[in-house]
Structure formats: structure tokens, C-alpha cells
Amino acid sequence: MGDNILRELYNKVLSLFKQTEKEENAKDVARNRLRVVLMQDRTNLTPELLQRMRKELVELLSKYVEMDKEALELNLDQDGDQMALMLSIPVIRAKDEAEIKAELEKEDKEKEETEAEEVEEEAETEEAQESDEDASEEENETEENTEDIEEDNSDSEEEVEEAEESDSVDSEKEEVSEDKASKKETK
Amino acid sequence: MTGRVIVITSGKGGVGKTTTNANIGTALARAGNKVVMIDTDLGLRNLDLLLGLENRIVYTIVDVVEERCKLKQALVKDKKNPNLCLLAAAQTRDKTAVTEEQLKDICEKLKKDYDFILVDCPAGIEQGFQNAVAGASEAIVVTTPEMSAVRDADRIIGLLEAKEEIKSYKLLINRVRPNLIKSNDMMSVDDVVEILSAELIGIIPEDTGIITSTNKGEPIVNDEKSLAGTAYRNVARRIMGEDVPFLNLEEETSVVAKVKKFFSKLVGKEK
């Protein structure tokens, strides 16, 4: 009997402590939630878009390092007036030079193929232009867009390569600081 | 004379815009400035209540705009301070009754005769906000250390930055509760300033005196002993360009700190 009462008392005291611990965090919880929500407000990046960005980043970076895809952390952070995109990737293993080369060559080949396809498509659109001008205009626009994205990709590849040169550590922290104009521009 | 037009805004309702307006206006007038307050919250006017002027209003801003009276006729003088007056909002009309241009025009006219024109902005970011901001070149963004208020303040700051006419904006953090901050239950002033990365102009502690002062129609700055009143008076001094240190609210609550301060003063080593 006495043992039970003691145990109950102990649990009660313990739960009291647990509660105060939780309450102590209310400020941090508020601050962190607010940070996330403000970044979304300021950048117009919805959770879905962030998810997509994350996925694309994983695809891109996986070419160079073997990493824990689930543990990749993507956060937007405010550093004074500057907005920064914080990327934290636990690296499982650095890839061999050969592996990376093979991967890149494979990709270059694919790129060439798609480019060739694009040229074909362009030729097609030129034909289509004669018949329907409006439609072809739209297509050209989308092509331009994809080109832009490809350019962006090659830029970030260079950055990653630089980072790769430094020795592989278990967890490598990369900071991709975006020259995104300060938050207020979103309006 | 060219007066300064300051809009007091917040985004979120209920954070103390109107209270701030009444108190800063009264404090500025007490310091010898000629002050006019414009309530632009058409349909939901309250500034008159906080100043205890609700029974003296004959004409409103809508009457001025629709030329039923002259601008000067619509200005209601404060009970105590002849330097202070109010241009009340119409209670029976909505936000469309006055345009941005008309408000700009009113502010321009008032600038000639007054040192400060304080514009009380309605909550929200719609036309009412646009109107209130139209004539102003400075802004005070009122917020509290709560998530929703800070988020809305961030939105407002974004909108203010996009406005060319607004040359500067400052942050006023209202309803600060040092005890809750101390126990880590509430975001601190520093947290809010960091998140919004805006310059601070005032920290106002939560004060039950605000409720009684509102009920009496008597701004709390008239109460010399009130901590919130002192904080508002300090804001007014900062607006006038004085360099006034912020009240250390935590010190006020801790007896030990008070004793320590007392002794350090005795020794003459006050930090």
C-alpha cells in the first residue's frame, strides 16, 4: 500500500515537472511557428511548393553525395534584412569520383537527347506557327521557362561541386543564401 | 508650419491602436505641441470615447468631405488641453465615404496649423487602411507579443514599405507582460523586434489602468504614476526626437532588482 502511494506521489511530481517543461517552451514554440509562417507569407512559398523544392533539391544533390533523403532539412531563415535558405543534409557517404563522373555523363547524355528533341519540337512548332500563331506563342514561352530552370540548375551544380571538394563529413551543412530581395518585396 | 503626419496602424484589431493614438496624442499636446487626431475608422469610431469627447461631436470627417461644414468647424477641442483636437469618424457611414485623395487633402490642410497629425487607422488591410495611410509620411505599427498580432504587423510593414510616401515606420509593442516573458510563456520584446526587424519606438506594459482610463474617457498619460502612462509619454518624447531609454519592465517587478538598483545608486555606480 505505502509503496503505491509513494509511486503515485512520484508520478504526480514527475508530471508536474513535465508540465512546467512544456509551458517553458511556449515562447519558443510561438517564435518558431511564427518564423515558419512569416517565411511562407513573405516568399509566397506554400508548403506544397516547399515540398516540391525539397524533392528537386534531393534529386539534384543525390548525384554528388549519398545522403539521408528523409532527414534533409529545408528552412527559410531571416538574417537581418537578408533572407536565407538553410539546407541541412546529413551525408551518409561521399561518392567516388568515378561514380559522380558516371552519373554526370549519364545526365549529360540525357540532356543532349532532350535538347535534340527540343530542336525537333521547335521545328514542329515553326510549322504549326504558320497554321496557328497564338498556340505556338504559348509553347515558345514554356520552352523559355524550361531553359531558365536549366540555367539555374547548372549554377547550383557548380556550388555543390565546390562544397564536394572539401572533405566529406558525416553531416555537411550547406547554406544556400538566396539573393532574394528582402521580404517586403513580396507585395 | 509643416506638421508631421503619423499613421498609427496594426493590421490586427484589438491590439491597442486607438488607445495608443489617444495617449500619444495627449502626451504630445501636454508637451506643448499642437496636435490633431483623425479617426479614419468610419462606421466603427472609438477615439472619441477614449478621449471622453463623444458628446461634443457635431461634425465628422464625412461632413468635411461632403462640404457640409468647414474643416475647422469639425475639429473638436479636448476638454483639458486646448492644444489637442479630434476630427471624428462618421459612425453611420462605411469606408467608401472618404477617398485617399480627400484624406491626403485634409492632412495637407492640417499640416499648416498643427505640429502633429495622428491618423488612427482601422484594422485590416483594405480600403480603410489605404485611406488612412494616404496622407501620412510616418507610421507607427502597433503590435503585441502574440503570434497573430506579429504576423499581421509583418504584413502591414510589407505594405508600408511598398508605399513611397511612408518615409519611416517604427514598432510599438503593446501589452507586454514581463511575468509571462520571464517564465518563457510569451515572446519577449527582443523576439518580436528580431522577427519583424523593425526599429522600436515604444514598449508599453499591460496595465489594468488602461481599462479604467478608457471607461473614464481619460487617457492614461494624464496619470503621472501609471507605468503604461510613463511608457506612452516616453514614446511621445522619442517622436519629438529625444533619446529616451526604454523602461526596464522586468526591473519593476522584481523587488531584489529594485533594492540592488537603490544601493548601486547610493554608491553612485548606476550602470
Side-chain angles (χ1 to χ4, degrees), chain B residues 79-105:
Chain B
K79 288 180 288 188
K80 281 188 178 169
N81 201 322
N83 280 337
L84 182 67
C85 59
L86 168 73
L87 178 55
Q91 184 65 347
T92 51
R93 302 290 289 272
D94 67 9
K95 306 285 184 267
T96 55
V98 178
T99 66
E100 289 179 40
E101 281 306 315
Q102 286 165 333
L103 242 156
K104 227 185 230 175
D105 194 44

Side-chain angles (χ1 to χ4, degrees), chain B residues 8-10 15-17 20 140-144 149 153 170 172 174:
Chain B
I8 294 169
T9 179
S10 72
V15 294
K17 269 184 306 297
T20 297
I140 292 177
V141 179
V142 182
T143 188
T144 67
K170 305 237 166 89
L172 185 141
N174 201 7

Side-chain angles (χ1 to χ4, degrees), chain A residues 104-120:
Chain A
L104 289 181
E105 269 166 24
K106 192 179 129 202
E107 203 209 15
D108 285 344
K109 229 181 227 173
E110 275 171 18
K111 222 184 227 171
E112 271 168 35
E113 275 167 29
T114 50
E115 264 167 30
E117 271 172 37
E118 265 172 36
V119 173
E120 270 171 42

